[in-house]
Amino acid sequence: MKGLRALTIILAVTAAVFSVKATSQDREVSLRFKFPANQVRTYEQQVSGEMAMTMQILGQGMPVMVNIKGKMTQTERVEDVDKDGVATLTIVAKGRIRSEATGLPAGAELPPEQDIPPIQSRIKVNPLGKVLEVQVKLPEEGKRSPTPSPFGSDFLAMPQMRGFTWQNLLLPENPVRVGDTWDITTKVDFRLEDRTVEVEVKGKARLVAFEKLDGRDCAVIEVTTEIPDLSELMRALPTPEEKAKVSATTEGQSVGKIWFDIVEGLVVKSEMSTDMTANFTITLQGGQGFSMSMQGNFRVEQRLTKIEQVKSEGK
């Protein structure tokens, strides 16, 4: 009898545990970004990747392999929030990238380490994560990435160029349960000095689980986005004294997982992997130039490290 009673208790406890887990995973939630005014969020990012490049110079192909690894810091300040919940954010990204290259011609060098100077952007984003407007302030002349490439350090340091939705995520309008999917296709206008370029990114998201992370109640979301054709955007990037013209085509896919704090309405952690192919040509004054094709894979791991409330400017 004692053995039967013990078995009954074990079965009851097991059933209760699975019942609680099933209930928690079956709940329905409404997901929204929240932007408290004058809040500053700091993220640390680990960046790694490799690129196989082929440069065509004077009709000769030159294969080059480049590996990169770096650490970046991204700060996001909520400047203000309007009556519809649309927030104006100032984002500053900076860091340091270490690179190794094989296959370079004699005399050619790639800096083993390179500082990514602060790249500042101003973004308007709504509670669903849709970016309504982007203004980018590129680094001062002489401090930009030496090659105007979609794989250059400027690209890695501009988070809005890796998804075109806030934090690579567009939230669903309706409440969702585990297993639900939704469309995250979106368009955004990029303002680069005196030009505006519209870019569309297609993608989808799926709620896969609820988890506790650092004591936070998080929705775990899988995202998949297609890399858009950035040819028009690349042509709009300013070049030193207009001495060169850049044309490019890009394609690829980005997949990852995001941990979203349901209560505070912010991303706590994300892991994104991007496969990308690009072809671009740089034509110098006089008609000379070179072309390059690239195939690369990049991984960005991001973690929220600090949240603080600051005084509004002027006070």
Side-chain angles (χ1 to χ4, degrees):
M1 291 294 294
K2 290 183 178 180
L4 180 59
R5 183 180 301 173
L7 179 59
T8 301
I9 293 174
I10 292 174
L11 291 175
V13 171
T14 302
V17 169
F18 276 99
S19 176
V20 170
K21 183 175 181 180
T23 301
S24 66
Q25 293 299 316
D26 190 48
R27 64 176 170 150
E28 187 175 68
V29 295
S30 180
L31 304 175
R32 293 293 184 271
F33 282 103
K34 298 177 182 179
F35 302 104
N38 300 311
Q39 187 180 79
V40 177
R41 303 163 179 176
T42 302
Y43 290 88
E44 295 292 338
Q45 300 174 347
Q46 300 291 334
V47 181
S48 61
E50 61 180 12
M51 298 176 286
M53 304 185 296
T54 301
M55 291 185 284
Q56 296 288 338
I57 302 177
L58 299 177
Q60 294 186 346
M62 185 180 303
V64 178
M65 177 65 72
V66 179
N67 290 277
I68 66 169
K69 189 174 184 179
K71 183 177 181 179
M72 299 181 62
T73 300
Q74 178 176 306
T75 59
E76 308 164 357
R77 176 169 178 155
V78 183
E79 300 294 345
D80 60 65
V81 184
D82 69 16
K83 60 182 179 60
D84 297 319
V86 175
T88 299
L89 308 178
T90 297
I91 302 100
V92 178
K94 61 182 179 179
R96 190 169 183 81
I97 295 291
R98 179 176 299 174
S99 56
E100 297 180 354
T102 57
L104 290 174
E109 294 183 359
L110 185 68
E113 290 190 347
Q114 181 182 357
D115 285 323
I116 299 177
I119 295 179
Q120 182 175 306
S121 56
R122 190 176 178 84
I123 292 179
K124 289 185 181 296
V125 57
N126 72 10
L128 291 178
K130 181 175 176 57
V131 175
L132 306 177
E133 183 180 302
V134 178
Q135 292 177 297
V136 179
K137 183 179 180 182
L138 295 174
E140 297 177 2
E141 193 64 50
K143 295 183 179 180
R144 299 177 186 170
S145 176
T147 304
S149 156
F151 290 111
S153 60
D154 291 351
F155 172 80
L156 292 172
M158 293 169 65
Q160 66 276 13
M161 292 185 67
R162 296 197 304 273
F164 307 96
T165 52
W166 183 236
Q167 290 284 0
N168 293 317
L169 181 61
L170 191 65
L171 298 174
E173 293 187 6
N174 300 318
V176 289
R177 300 175 183 271
V178 169
D180 286 349
T181 62
W182 62 93
D183 184 59
I184 58 173
T185 298
T186 188
K187 296 180 181 179
V188 65
D189 289 335
F190 280 84
R191 292 185 180 180
L192 293 170
E193 298 185 350
D194 61 344
R195 292 191 59 182
T196 299
V197 179
E198 182 186 80
V199 179
E200 180 184 43
V201 178
K202 297 179 180 180
K204 64 174 63 176
R206 183 169 71 97
L207 178 59
V208 296
F210 295 109
E211 291 182 7
K212 288 286 187 178
L213 182 64
D214 298 334
R216 298 173 180 269
D217 185 16
C218 293
V220 185
I221 303 167
E222 288 182 348
V223 295
T224 302
T225 55
E226 301 298 323
I227 302 299
D229 183 2
L230 300 177
S231 56
E232 187 175 353
L233 184 62
M234 292 298 297
R235 286 194 296 270
L237 289 175
T239 54
E241 300 179 7
E242 300 299 327
K243 291 182 179 180
K245 293 183 178 180
V246 180
S247 60
T249 59
T250 55
E251 63 179 359
Q253 186 179 74
S254 180
V255 297
K257 188 179 290 186
I258 296 173
W259 284 258
F260 183 82
D261 187 319
I262 300 170
V263 176
E264 294 198 31
L266 54 78
V267 171
V268 178
K269 176 185 174 183
S270 64
E271 299 174 349
M272 304 298 297
S273 180
T274 301
D275 288 295
M276 188 173 181
T277 299
N279 296 278
F280 71 96
T281 301
I282 299 177
T283 305
L284 306 175
Q285 287 183 348
Q288 295 181 337
F290 68 92
S291 61
M292 181 183 298
S293 61
M294 299 181 178
Q295 288 185 323
N297 174 270
F298 297 91
R299 182 175 177 84
V300 179
E301 298 181 6
Q302 177 179 257
R303 192 77 178 242
L304 178 68
T305 58
K306 184 170 64 175
I307 297 179
E308 57 184 331
Q309 201 71 24
V310 298
K311 293 182 179 180
S312 61
E313 295 183 359
K315 293 185 178 181

